[in-house]
Amino acid sequence: GAVVSQHPSWVICKSGTSVKIECRSLDFQATTMFWYRQFPKQSLMLMATSNEGSKATYEQGVEKDKFLINHASLTLSTLTVTSAHPEDSSFYICSASPLGLAGDVNEQFFGPGTRLTVL
Amino acid sequence: TQLLEQSPQFLSIQEGENLTVYCNSSSVFSSLQWYRQEPGEGPVLLVTVVTGGEVKKLKRLTFQFGDARKDSSLHITAAQTGDTGLYLCAGDKGAQKLVFGQGTRLTINP
């Protein structure tokens, strides 16, 4: 249980184009999903918290107009990198926390990640 | 400043040896999690510790949460080459946000 998928697993695009990444919780529902980015040999940095039915909450320094997040249902969140540039190349990972998890433990399950390369 | 400090950041040892990875902070966390990440994949949850002083075992891996809930350790006994990977600790700051340590890149040599 608690499987999270991401699509695509990798994408190469030209500078100036937009790329959409999907994050799905396959066997559970999640009101909240999270988007992280990870540079080579570094840890995960939280970009934004995606809330079902409401606006995403972005971390300081993350441009909300560049990284559009839509949480359309309890099992799907999308991240769109708009007008991508080479510096946006990174490994993007989403996570989700199951609804009704026992107690107050914030247990997140991660997707396999999406490798974005902008030429 | 890094809220969670992991040490060591790199560790290379021989198969069969024991090792300990530390995760330290000056902040108190309601829970702390350990993940393992393979190259090109997302992190996989190993364990969640919640209670101060808690010890959890997962086969050859032993996880401990400090009494004050500010630090944690991961001890691996008789390391195997399959234990190679990036180990990440993450603390729950509240508001459902996790704060990650820098990670410990572990290499077990045959």
Side-chain angles (χ1 to χ4, degrees):
Chain A
V3 178
V4 177
S5 71
Q6 278 184 244
H7 178 79
S9 56
W10 60 270
V11 57
I12 301 172
C13 69
K14 291 183 179 180
S15 188
T17 60
S18 294
V19 174
K20 180 185 283 188
I21 303 170
E22 293 186 351
C23 176
R24 293 181 186 272
S25 55
L26 297 184
D27 51 2
F28 65 97
Q29 293 183 327
T31 53
T32 305
M33 293 184 174
F34 304 87
W35 287 96
Y36 297 82
R37 67 187 296 182
Q38 185 178 32
F39 291 106
K41 301 189 187 299
Q42 294 188 24
S43 189
L44 281 73
M45 295 297 294
L46 180 64
M47 297 174 65
T49 303
S50 171
N51 304 298
E52 188 266 338
S54 65
K55 291 183 179 180
T57 305
Y58 291 82
E59 294 300 298
Q60 192 173 10
V62 178
E63 298 176 57
K64 61 181 180 181
D65 293 331
K66 180 165 187 62
F67 298 100
L68 300 179
I69 291 172
N70 184 6
H71 197 145
S73 74
L74 289 173
T75 59
L76 172 64
S77 176
T78 60
L79 168 68
T80 301
V81 183
T82 62
S83 187
H85 287 94
E87 57 265 30
D88 298 323
S89 298
S90 188
F91 193 50
Y92 292 87
I93 309 174
C94 71
S95 72
S97 187
L99 272 177
L101 197 66
D104 297 322
V105 179
N106 177 14
E107 207 161 67
Q108 294 183 20
F109 296 91
F110 286 80
T114 297
R115 171 79 55 197
L116 170 63
T117 302
V118 185
L119 303 176
Chain B
T1 55
Q2 188 75 28
L3 198 59
L4 270 173
E5 296 283 345
Q6 269 186 255
S7 62
Q9 292 189 34
F10 300 93
L11 183 59
S12 180
I13 62 172
Q14 294 301 119
E15 195 171 26
E17 294 183 2
N18 302 331
L19 67 107
T20 302
V21 176
Y22 299 93
C23 180
N24 296 306
S25 176
S26 57
S27 300
V28 176
F29 295 101
S30 56
S31 68
L32 194 140
Q33 295 162 28
W34 284 92
Y35 293 85
R36 180 177 150 190
Q37 185 179 22
E38 303 283 355
E41 298 180 12
V44 174
L45 179 66
L46 296 175
V47 77
T48 300
V49 285
V50 179
T51 308
E54 183 177 6
V55 177
K56 281 191 173 179
K57 291 194 174 185
L58 186 65
K59 296 183 181 178
R60 293 175 294 102
L61 278 60
T62 301
F63 304 86
Q64 186 164 7
F65 202 12
D67 291 339
R69 291 186 291 137
K70 294 182 179 180
D71 52 81
S72 180
S73 64
L74 157 61
H75 182 78
I76 301 179
T77 304
Q80 299 176 358
T81 55
D83 295 328
T84 293
L86 178 66
Y87 289 82
L88 296 158
C89 65
D92 183 359
K93 277 185 63 180
Q96 293 187 293
K97 291 185 181 181
L98 289 181
V99 174
F100 280 83
Q102 314 99 308
T104 295
R105 195 162 296 279
L106 176 63
T107 303
I108 308 300
N109 303 300

